[in-house]
Amino acid sequence: MKIIVDRDKCVGSGQCVMTAEGVFDQSEEDGIVELLDPEPPAEAAADVRLAASLCPAMAIRIEDAAQ
Amino acid sequence: MAVDDRFPRRVGDLPDTRSGGTRSEIVTGPVADWATDFSHVEPEWAADPYPIQDDLRRRCPIAHTERFGGAWLPTRYEDVAAIAYDTERFTSRTVIVGNFRPPRDLEPVGVSPPISSDPPFHHEARRLLLPAFTKSAVRRLEPGTRAFCHELVDGFKGRDVVDAAQDYAQHIPTRVIADMLGFPPEDGPRFREFVENVLEGINLPTDERIERVDRLFDYLLQQIHDHIDHPRDDLTTYLINAELGGRRLDASEVSGMMALLLIAGVDTTWSAIGASLWHLARTPADRKRLVAEPGLLPTAMEEFLRAYAPVTMARLVKQDMHWRGVDMKADDWVLLSFPAANRDPAQFERADEVVIDRRVNRHAAFGLGVHRCVGSHLARMELRVALEVWLERIPEFTLADPSAVTWAAGQVRGPRTLPVRIG
Ligand code: HEM
Ligand code: HEM
């Protein structure tokens, strides 16, 4: 799984950080999303998908590796 | 020297945002049936809203009232979440239910951005505030907050009974936000009076409320001028220099954002601290466990936020529509009860119990969707430090008189009188 975040769309609601801590954080400068792990391990996949679906700004995109 | 003429000196010279809009008839008095006649400002609701919400969730999950000119009350988590996310059909033009609906042409900006704004405008107004409330910005405020909490407890010396709401919880967020905005410390008591006057004045006649609000705004304008003359590294100077849509903010925007931070940050946090202390005063097992295991506090605190979520927001319906089985009309209110969502058994196990070591706790106390609380890191720091200092200094305390405890009615709920025995 590969994650792409759009910092321009992000409104810093913090919901991704609550849902998939370790993968997402909020930047110390501007509170906008920071991607800690663009290709997280399989066990984080469910949380990451939930985070993407919960993002109110639709700023998180997931590309699945075909395998 | 060029004069910064964006800022008038008196509130009367600010643009008028009160004209227009519609007023509905004021209806008060006992509720006949909560499913068809609810009122979140009646004393019964203030005293204990949870059994009412639980009952509604079972028998009428989207309740209605004719009061306030028509309003809905969803109590299921999934409905509250759906509305919070749906900024197309529900507007934030105003977020406090009353008998006054501000005019539609205020959309998408509203009276106090970003909370009163809808996308796409909301995006930029919110992003302007985010840098001031990051975790690192909040961390810098922690030592001062802790010292202030200790000062408050020092003031209890010689007393057996103190009011944990009025003598403790209330002062903490007021002091923190005044420091952030860079107001002179010696203005503390005066400033607190302005804020309290506004917050406690909701049920007064409109003219009197407006007068109280105006007095606060006069003070804010005075502070803005002082900051223009003497710029310094604080939130007021930041707002004066901030840009929105390629231009700097005007006077009503700067003072409006300052007022929003006061209103959104003080009552809410005060309520969260007070409700947590209320729970601990009447639940010795939880109190003893937290005194023995201070490391559990961050987890326990999230559970207090879930179980006693202080904030309920509101939206207005944009157009007539059929929504999940009910017929909503344009300009109907919808109460977004984050407290009811947080106690939905479909979302949380043992939803009606306070489980201080609850592991997974994705509660909605700070809201859901694009408006989710900007100040959540700050609020969490204040709540944690307030409870840490209290439990360290006053490990033994009980309710002095359970019948003397009073709760605020309305959309921000927390103890307003909370006498506890500490000696
Ligand atoms: C325990 C304390 C707090 C609680 C429970 C709380 C709760 C909330 C909730 C539920 C919302 C969502 C509003 C909506 O959906 O319309 C919100 C928004 C907001 N809160 Fe808080 N809040 C707290 C403390 C604070 C503090 C300390 C500040 C800052 C000083 C703050 C600033 C804001 C702002 C500016 C917004 C508007 C965000 C937007 O519209 O994008 N809050 N808060
Ligand atoms: C914490 C709880 C709050 C209390 C106790 C409170 C109290 C008040 C009071 C006393 C007024 C003046 C009434 C009037 O002018 O008719 C008012 C007006 C208003 N408040 Fe709040 N407020 C709260 C939270 C908020 C929040 C979070 C917002 C977000 C924007 C907000 C937005 C407004 C707006 C838009 C008005 C109308 C202003 C006008 O028409 O002049 N309030 N509120």
Side-chain angles (χ1 to χ4, degrees), chain B residues 42 95 203 293 313 333 405 414:
Chain B
E42 289 300 313
V95 289
N203 296 319
E293 290 176 59
M313 278 292 149
W333 297 102
V405 177

Side-chain angles (χ1 to χ4, degrees), chain A residues 11, chain B residues 84 92 95 112-117 122 125-126 129 133 173 177 180 235 257 260-262 264-273 305 309-315 336 338 364-376 378-380 382-383:
Chain A
V11 292
Chain B
S92 287
V95 289
S112 34
I115 203 164
S116 62
S117 313
H122 168 263
R126 178 179 171 98
L129 284 180
F133 295 94
I177 195 71
M180 280 185 90
L235 191 47
M257 282 214 183
L260 169 60
L261 294 174
L262 291 172
V266 172
D267 230 20
T268 51
T269 311
W270 170 24
S271 299
I273 298 170
L305 284 167
V311 179
T312 297
M313 278 292 149
R315 301 288 186 262
L336 272 186
F338 300 116
F366 290 112
L368 294 163
V370 290
H371 290 281
R372 192 174 171 277
C373 185
V374 165
S376 66
L378 179 64
R380 284 185 162 121
E382 293 182 46
L383 180 56

Side-chain angles (χ1 to χ4, degrees), chain A residues 7-15 17-19 25-32 47 50 54-57, chain B residues 85 122-123 126-127 130-132 134-137 139 361-363 367-373 376-377 380:
Chain A
R7 287 183 53 92
D8 289 335
K9 280 191 185 166
C10 173
V11 292
S13 85
Q15 284 184 189
V17 188
M18 283 206 312
T19 311
D25 201 353
Q26 280 175 274
S27 137
E28 292 290 359
E29 264 106 66
D30 55 12
I32 295 300
D47 284 347
L50 183 62
L54 287 179
C55 174
Chain B
Y85 273 85
H122 168 263
H123 184 89
R126 178 179 171 98
R127 285 180 61 130
L130 287 174
T134 59
K135 276 183 255 177
S136 49
R139 215 170 291 128
N361 196 349
R362 288 182 186 143
H363 64 73
L368 294 163
V370 290
H371 290 281
R372 192 174 171 277
C373 185
S376 66
H377 301 307
R380 284 185 162 121

Side-chain angles (χ1 to χ4, degrees), chain B residues 173-185:
Chain B
T174 316
R175 167 68 175 255
V176 169
I177 195 71
D179 279 356
M180 280 185 90
L181 288 166
F183 297 168

Side-chain angles (χ1 to χ4, degrees), chain A residues 23-44:
Chain A
V23 178
F24 302 99
D25 201 353
Q26 280 175 274
S27 137
E28 292 290 359
E29 264 106 66
D30 55 12
I32 295 300
V33 63
E34 225 168 48
L35 194 49
L36 300 177
D37 188 354
E39 297 186 37
E43 59 270 21

Side-chain angles (χ1 to χ4, degrees), chain B residues 68-104:
Chain B
F68 316 107
W72 300 93
L73 172 62
T75 42
R76 286 191 297 224
Y77 184 98
E78 58 166 302
D79 291 338
V80 172
I83 295 164
Y85 273 85
D86 190 346
T87 54
E88 292 288 313
R89 289 186 289 182
F90 300 92
T91 172
S92 287
R93 184 170 97 226
T94 168
V95 289
I96 303 291
V97 169
N99 288 293
F100 173 68
R101 289 161 170 77
R104 278 194 200 184

